[in-house]
Amino acid sequence: MAGIDWTARRAVDVAIASEFTAILLDDGTLQVHNDGAIQNWSLAPLGGAKIVQMSAGNNCVAVLLDNGKVMVRGTNSRGSLGVGNTNTINTFTDVSGINWSIEKAAYVYLHQDTDQTYIVMRDGSLYMAGNHPANGMLGLTPIVTGKQIGRAHV
């Protein structure tokens, strides 16, 4: 891929979406490749925490940090990023509705086809944000698009 000096850097993680590819490099840089253009996304909002896992959806990225928090960035159609609205998020932002000082995530997944974000917590509970044609899946009451994040124990 153009724009990366592969003799000096190594890829740590990659998240592939329908519209772009995000590559986390070993120097902490997050590069987003979209139609031949390369953007370096700022990781300053992460507050020094390190990314341990990434997932990509339709023009959006979710990152799991080493402190157990999940942050998101990108297109937020149908409230899929769980930030309490449907606005596009241009800088990494906390997923709302979760008390990050107490609860810690173990895994994050963005589903491209349904515009949903799933967050598996370390205690085994599951959070889900966004809209889905089959409201109430996973035993949850219907999700209110962009306003709340559902929770179920699995």
Side-chain angles (χ1 to χ4, degrees):
M1 294 184 127
I4 299 176
D5 178 3
W6 292 109
T7 61
R9 299 188 202 166
R10 295 179 189 265
V12 176
D13 197 2
V14 63
I16 301 169
S18 59
E19 303 291 328
F20 69 92
T21 300
I23 302 171
L24 178 64
L25 302 173
D26 59 358
D27 67 354
T29 304
L30 181 61
Q31 286 197 339
V32 177
H33 297 250
N34 184 358
D35 290 329
I38 300 171
Q39 298 175 339
N40 288 311
W41 282 5
S42 171
L43 300 181
L46 307 184
K50 303 286 184 212
I51 297 172
V52 295
Q53 188 245 321
M54 295 189 310
S55 185
N58 290 325
N59 289 317
C60 55
V61 172
V63 295
L64 171 61
L65 306 177
D66 60 358
N67 62 9
K69 183 187 269 190
V70 173
M71 297 184 85
V72 293
R73 177 181 171 159
T75 302
N76 188 26
S77 61
R78 298 189 283 178
S80 57
L81 297 181
V83 295
N85 59 53
T86 56
N87 302 330
T88 295
I89 309 300
N90 294 314
T91 185
F92 280 105
T93 303
D94 291 351
V95 171
S96 60
I98 298 173
N99 184 346
W100 292 113
S101 63
I102 297 171
E103 298 190 83
K104 306 297 178 200
Y107 184 78
V108 63
Y109 175 72
L110 281 167
H111 193 281
Q112 291 191 56
D113 294 334
T114 61
D115 287 331
Q116 288 180 300
T117 300
Y118 298 89
I119 303 170
V120 178
M121 304 305 283
R122 291 181 185 168
D123 69 0
S125 59
L126 174 69
Y127 284 94
M128 176 178 98
N131 195 16
H132 190 278
N135 284 331
M137 41 182 303
L138 300 177
L140 299 176
T141 56
I143 302 300
V144 177
T145 303
K147 296 193 178 182
Q148 69 184 37
I149 193 162
R151 179 181 176 142
H153 284 279
V154 291

Short mmCIF file of all heavy atoms in Angstrom, two decimals, residues 52-93:
data_model
loop_
_atom_site.label_atom_id
_atom_site.label_comp_id
_atom_site.label_asym_id
_atom_site.label_seq_id
_atom_site.Cartn_x
_atom_site.Cartn_y
_atom_site.Cartn_z
N VAL A 52 -6.27 -2.19 21.37
CA VAL A 52 -5.96 -3.62 21.40
C VAL A 52 -6.76 -4.40 20.37
O VAL A 52 -6.40 -5.52 20.02
CB VAL A 52 -6.16 -4.24 22.80
CG1 VAL A 52 -5.19 -3.63 23.80
CG2 VAL A 52 -7.59 -4.08 23.29
N GLN A 53 -7.85 -3.80 19.84
CA GLN A 53 -8.66 -4.47 18.83
C GLN A 53 -9.49 -3.42 18.10
O GLN A 53 -9.90 -2.42 18.70
CB GLN A 53 -9.56 -5.51 19.49
CG GLN A 53 -10.31 -6.41 18.54
CD GLN A 53 -11.82 -6.22 18.63
OE1 GLN A 53 -12.35 -6.03 19.71
NE2 GLN A 53 -12.49 -6.27 17.50
N MET A 54 -9.69 -3.63 16.79
CA MET A 54 -10.50 -2.72 15.98
C MET A 54 -11.55 -3.51 15.21
O MET A 54 -11.35 -4.68 14.91
CB MET A 54 -9.64 -2.00 14.93
CG MET A 54 -8.61 -1.06 15.46
SD MET A 54 -7.83 -0.06 14.15
CE MET A 54 -7.35 -1.24 12.90
N SER A 55 -12.63 -2.81 14.85
CA SER A 55 -13.63 -3.37 13.96
C SER A 55 -14.15 -2.24 13.09
O SER A 55 -14.22 -1.09 13.53
CB SER A 55 -14.78 -3.99 14.76
OG SER A 55 -15.70 -4.63 13.89
N ALA A 56 -14.48 -2.55 11.84
CA ALA A 56 -14.96 -1.53 10.91
C ALA A 56 -16.34 -1.88 10.40
O ALA A 56 -16.67 -3.05 10.21
CB ALA A 56 -14.00 -1.40 9.73
N GLY A 57 -17.15 -0.86 10.19
CA GLY A 57 -18.47 -1.01 9.61
C GLY A 57 -18.58 -0.13 8.39
O GLY A 57 -17.57 0.20 7.77
N ASN A 58 -19.78 0.29 8.06
CA ASN A 58 -19.98 1.17 6.92
C ASN A 58 -19.44 2.56 7.24
O ASN A 58 -20.10 3.34 7.90
CB ASN A 58 -21.47 1.26 6.56
CG ASN A 58 -21.97 -0.03 5.97
OD1 ASN A 58 -21.25 -0.71 5.27
ND2 ASN A 58 -23.21 -0.37 6.27
N ASN A 59 -18.24 2.85 6.79
CA ASN A 59 -17.60 4.15 7.01
C ASN A 59 -17.44 4.51 8.49
O ASN A 59 -17.57 5.67 8.87
CB ASN A 59 -18.34 5.26 6.28
CG ASN A 59 -18.17 5.16 4.79
OD1 ASN A 59 -17.07 4.91 4.31
ND2 ASN A 59 -19.24 5.34 4.06
N CYS A 60 -17.20 3.52 9.35
CA CYS A 60 -16.98 3.80 10.76
C CYS A 60 -16.04 2.76 11.35
O CYS A 60 -15.86 1.69 10.80
CB CYS A 60 -18.29 3.84 11.53
SG CYS A 60 -19.29 2.36 11.36
N VAL A 61 -15.43 3.14 12.46
CA VAL A 61 -14.49 2.27 13.16
C VAL A 61 -14.81 2.29 14.64
O VAL A 61 -15.12 3.35 15.20
CB VAL A 61 -13.02 2.72 12.95
CG1 VAL A 61 -12.07 1.95 13.82
CG2 VAL A 61 -12.61 2.58 11.49
N ALA A 62 -14.73 1.14 15.29
CA ALA A 62 -14.81 1.04 16.75
C ALA A 62 -13.48 0.47 17.22
O ALA A 62 -12.94 -0.45 16.60
CB ALA A 62 -15.95 0.14 17.18
N VAL A 63 -12.95 1.02 18.31
CA VAL A 63 -11.70 0.52 18.86
C VAL A 63 -11.89 0.14 20.32
O VAL A 63 -12.57 0.83 21.07
CB VAL A 63 -10.54 1.56 18.72
CG1 VAL A 63 -10.22 1.80 17.26
CG2 VAL A 63 -10.85 2.86 19.42
N LEU A 64 -11.31 -0.99 20.69
CA LEU A 64 -11.26 -1.44 22.08
C LEU A 64 -9.90 -1.03 22.63
O LEU A 64 -8.87 -1.33 22.01
CB LEU A 64 -11.44 -2.95 22.17
CG LEU A 64 -11.21 -3.60 23.54
CD1 LEU A 64 -12.19 -3.05 24.58
CD2 LEU A 64 -11.31 -5.10 23.43
N LEU A 65 -9.89 -0.34 23.75
CA LEU A 65 -8.65 0.16 24.34
C LEU A 65 -8.17 -0.76 25.45
O LEU A 65 -8.95 -1.53 26.02
CB LEU A 65 -8.87 1.57 24.87
CG LEU A 65 -9.42 2.58 23.86
CD1 LEU A 65 -9.64 3.92 24.52
CD2 LEU A 65 -8.49 2.70 22.66
N ASP A 66 -6.90 -0.64 25.79
CA ASP A 66 -6.32 -1.49 26.83
C ASP A 66 -6.91 -1.22 28.22
O ASP A 66 -6.78 -2.03 29.12
CB ASP A 66 -4.79 -1.39 26.86
CG ASP A 66 -4.26 0.02 27.13
OD1 ASP A 66 -5.07 0.97 27.26
OD2 ASP A 66 -3.03 0.17 27.18
N ASN A 67 -7.62 -0.10 28.39
CA ASN A 67 -8.29 0.19 29.67
C ASN A 67 -9.72 -0.35 29.71
O ASN A 67 -10.47 -0.10 30.65
CB ASN A 67 -8.27 1.69 29.95
CG ASN A 67 -9.01 2.51 28.91
OD1 ASN A 67 -9.70 1.98 28.04
ND2 ASN A 67 -8.87 3.82 28.98
N GLY A 68 -10.14 -1.08 28.64
CA GLY A 68 -11.46 -1.70 28.61
C GLY A 68 -12.55 -0.82 28.05
O GLY A 68 -13.71 -1.22 27.99
N LYS A 69 -12.22 0.38 27.61
CA LYS A 69 -13.19 1.31 27.04
C LYS A 69 -13.30 1.11 25.53
O LYS A 69 -12.35 0.71 24.89
CB LYS A 69 -12.73 2.74 27.33
CG LYS A 69 -13.69 3.82 26.88
CD LYS A 69 -13.07 5.19 27.06
CE LYS A 69 -13.42 5.73 28.41
NZ LYS A 69 -13.05 7.16 28.55
N VAL A 70 -14.48 1.40 24.97
CA VAL A 70 -14.69 1.37 23.53
C VAL A 70 -14.96 2.79 23.05
O VAL A 70 -15.77 3.51 23.64
CB VAL A 70 -15.87 0.45 23.15
CG1 VAL A 70 -16.19 0.56 21.66
CG2 VAL A 70 -15.56 -0.99 23.52
N MET A 71 -14.25 3.18 21.98
CA MET A 71 -14.47 4.48 21.35
C MET A 71 -14.77 4.26 19.87
O MET A 71 -14.33 3.27 19.29
CB MET A 71 -13.26 5.39 21.55
CG MET A 71 -13.01 5.70 23.02
SD MET A 71 -11.68 6.86 23.29
CE MET A 71 -12.56 8.41 23.11
N VAL A 72 -15.54 5.18 19.28
CA VAL A 72 -16.01 5.02 17.91
C VAL A 72 -15.78 6.31 17.13
O VAL A 72 -15.62 7.39 17.69
CB VAL A 72 -17.51 4.66 17.90
CG1 VAL A 72 -17.75 3.27 18.47
CG2 VAL A 72 -18.34 5.69 18.66
N ARG A 73 -15.78 6.14 15.80
CA ARG A 73 -15.62 7.29 14.91
C ARG A 73 -16.20 6.93 13.55
O ARG A 73 -16.06 5.80 13.08
CB ARG A 73 -14.14 7.63 14.75
CG ARG A 73 -13.91 8.77 13.77
CD ARG A 73 -12.47 9.09 13.58
NE ARG A 73 -12.36 10.03 12.48
CZ ARG A 73 -11.34 10.81 12.28
NH1 ARG A 73 -10.31 10.76 13.10
NH2 ARG A 73 -11.31 11.64 11.26
N GLY A 74 -16.86 7.90 12.89
CA GLY A 74 -17.32 7.70 11.52
C GLY A 74 -18.80 7.93 11.34
O GLY A 74 -19.46 8.58 12.15
N THR A 75 -19.33 7.38 10.24
CA THR A 75 -20.74 7.51 9.92
C THR A 75 -21.56 6.78 10.98
O THR A 75 -21.24 5.67 11.38
CB THR A 75 -21.03 6.91 8.53
OG1 THR A 75 -20.21 7.58 7.58
CG2 THR A 75 -22.48 7.07 8.14
N ASN A 76 -22.60 7.44 11.45
CA ASN A 76 -23.38 6.94 12.58
C ASN A 76 -24.84 6.73 12.17
O ASN A 76 -25.75 7.09 12.88
CB ASN A 76 -23.27 7.96 13.73
CG ASN A 76 -23.88 7.46 15.01
OD1 ASN A 76 -23.96 6.27 15.26
ND2 ASN A 76 -24.31 8.39 15.84
N SER A 77 -25.02 6.15 10.98
CA SER A 77 -26.38 5.96 10.49
C SER A 77 -27.17 5.07 11.43
O SER A 77 -26.66 4.10 11.96
CB SER A 77 -26.36 5.36 9.09
OG SER A 77 -25.74 4.10 9.10
N ARG A 78 -28.39 5.45 11.65
CA ARG A 78 -29.31 4.70 12.51
C ARG A 78 -28.80 4.51 13.94
O ARG A 78 -29.15 3.55 14.60
CB ARG A 78 -29.67 3.37 11.87
CG ARG A 78 -30.38 3.57 10.53
CD ARG A 78 -30.94 2.31 9.99
NE ARG A 78 -29.89 1.48 9.40
CZ ARG A 78 -30.10 0.29 8.88
NH1 ARG A 78 -31.30 -0.22 8.87
NH2 ARG A 78 -29.12 -0.40 8.36
N GLY A 79 -27.95 5.41 14.42
CA GLY A 79 -27.46 5.32 15.79
C GLY A 79 -26.53 4.15 16.02
O GLY A 79 -26.36 3.69 17.14
N SER A 80 -25.89 3.68 14.97
CA SER A 80 -25.11 2.45 15.04
C SER A 80 -23.87 2.52 15.92
O SER A 80 -23.35 1.50 16.32
CB SER A 80 -24.70 2.01 13.63
OG SER A 80 -23.97 3.04 12.99
N LEU A 81 -23.41 3.73 16.25
CA LEU A 81 -22.20 3.84 17.07
C LEU A 81 -22.48 3.95 18.56
O LEU A 81 -21.56 3.92 19.37
CB LEU A 81 -21.34 5.02 16.61
CG LEU A 81 -20.80 4.88 15.18
CD1 LEU A 81 -19.95 6.09 14.82
CD2 LEU A 81 -20.02 3.60 15.00
N GLY A 82 -23.72 4.10 18.94
CA GLY A 82 -24.06 4.11 20.37
C GLY A 82 -23.63 5.35 21.12
O GLY A 82 -23.31 5.28 22.30
N VAL A 83 -23.63 6.51 20.43
CA VAL A 83 -23.23 7.74 21.10
C VAL A 83 -24.41 8.64 21.45
O VAL A 83 -24.23 9.76 21.91
CB VAL A 83 -22.19 8.53 20.25
CG1 VAL A 83 -20.91 7.75 20.11
CG2 VAL A 83 -22.76 8.89 18.90
N GLY A 84 -25.63 8.16 21.24
CA GLY A 84 -26.81 8.91 21.65
C GLY A 84 -27.40 9.81 20.58
O GLY A 84 -28.28 10.61 20.86
N ASN A 85 -26.89 9.71 19.34
CA ASN A 85 -27.45 10.50 18.24
C ASN A 85 -27.14 9.79 16.92
O ASN A 85 -26.59 8.69 16.94
CB ASN A 85 -26.89 11.93 18.25
CG ASN A 85 -25.38 11.95 18.12
OD1 ASN A 85 -24.81 11.37 17.19
ND2 ASN A 85 -24.71 12.63 19.04
N THR A 86 -27.49 10.43 15.82
CA THR A 86 -27.21 9.84 14.51
C THR A 86 -26.27 10.72 13.69
O THR A 86 -26.19 10.59 12.48
CB THR A 86 -28.51 9.60 13.72
OG1 THR A 86 -29.22 10.83 13.61
CG2 THR A 86 -29.38 8.55 14.39
N ASN A 87 -25.54 11.61 14.36
CA ASN A 87 -24.60 12.50 13.68
C ASN A 87 -23.32 11.76 13.32
O ASN A 87 -22.89 10.85 14.04
CB ASN A 87 -24.23 13.69 14.58
CG ASN A 87 -25.44 14.49 14.99
OD1 ASN A 87 -26.42 14.57 14.26
ND2 ASN A 87 -25.39 15.07 16.18
N THR A 88 -22.68 12.17 12.23
CA THR A 88 -21.36 11.64 11.90
C THR A 88 -20.37 12.10 12.96
O THR A 88 -20.38 13.25 13.38
CB THR A 88 -20.92 12.14 10.50
OG1 THR A 88 -21.82 11.58 9.54
CG2 THR A 88 -19.50 11.72 10.18
N ILE A 89 -19.51 11.18 13.41
CA ILE A 89 -18.55 11.45 14.48
C ILE A 89 -17.17 11.59 13.83
O ILE A 89 -16.64 10.62 13.29
CB ILE A 89 -18.54 10.30 15.52
CG1 ILE A 89 -19.97 10.00 15.99
CG2 ILE A 89 -17.61 10.61 16.66
CD1 ILE A 89 -20.69 11.14 16.65
N ASN A 90 -16.59 12.79 13.88
CA ASN A 90 -15.33 13.06 13.19
C ASN A 90 -14.09 12.92 14.05
O ASN A 90 -12.97 13.14 13.58
CB ASN A 90 -15.36 14.46 12.56
CG ASN A 90 -16.40 14.53 11.46
OD1 ASN A 90 -16.48 13.64 10.62
ND2 ASN A 90 -17.21 15.57 11.47
N THR A 91 -14.25 12.56 15.31
CA THR A 91 -13.13 12.30 16.20
C THR A 91 -13.54 11.15 17.12
O THR A 91 -14.74 10.96 17.36
CB THR A 91 -12.73 13.55 17.00
OG1 THR A 91 -11.57 13.28 17.75
CG2 THR A 91 -13.84 14.01 17.92
N PHE A 92 -12.60 10.37 17.61
CA PHE A 92 -12.97 9.24 18.47
C PHE A 92 -13.73 9.73 19.69
O PHE A 92 -13.35 10.69 20.35
CB PHE A 92 -11.73 8.45 18.89
CG PHE A 92 -11.26 7.51 17.82
CD1 PHE A 92 -10.14 7.79 17.07
CD2 PHE A 92 -11.96 6.34 17.55
CE1 PHE A 92 -9.72 6.93 16.07
CE2 PHE A 92 -11.55 5.47 16.56
CZ PHE A 92 -10.42 5.77 15.81
N THR A 93 -14.86 9.05 19.97
CA THR A 93 -15.80 9.44 21.01
C THR A 93 -16.19 8.20 21.81
O THR A 93 -16.32 7.11 21.25
CB THR A 93 -17.07 10.06 20.37
OG1 THR A 93 -16.66 11.17 19.57
CG2 THR A 93 -18.07 10.51 21.40
#
